[in-house]
Each structure stands twice: as structure tokens, then as C-alpha cells.
Amino acid sequence: MDFIKEFWEFLKIRKKYWLLPIIFVLVLFGGLIILSQGSAVAPFIYTIF
């Protein structure tokens, strides 16, 4: 949690709010790939890419 807290402080101080959507999408895709490993949904997710 310290990393997230420090990263948020960095974004606030440096005014780099434009990084938030990029990081959100990367985390979303990472979670989607992790959750799709070994599931029946995996073939449908791979067709998206």
C-alpha cells in the first residue's frame, strides 16, 4: 500500500493526472489476463486481442 500512496502523492505533486487512465487500463488488462488463465472464458478473451 505504501507504493500506491507514494505514487498518488507523486501524481498530485507533479500534476501528472494524465497517467491515471493509462495505469487504470494496464491494471485492468493485467487483471483480465490473470483471471482468464485456466477458465472457460479464455478463448473469448484471446479473440479480443
Side-chain angles (χ1 to χ4, degrees):
M1 290 304 287
D2 287 335
F3 173 74
I4 295 171
K5 187 175 159 185
E6 288 181 25
F7 187 68
W8 179 249
E9 291 296 322
F10 168 77
L11 291 177
K12 283 184 359 184
I13 292 171
R14 301 282 186 195
K15 309 242 186 306
K16 303 270 186 197
Y17 295 116
W18 57 271
L19 286 173
L20 284 177
I22 298 170
I23 293 169
F24 179 72
V25 168
L26 287 175
V27 168
L28 185 70
F29 279 141
L32 185 66
I33 290 172
I34 289 171
L35 291 176
S36 70
Q37 295 293 321
S39 71
V41 185
F44 300 108
I45 293 174
Y46 290 128
T47 59
I48 294 173
F49 299 106

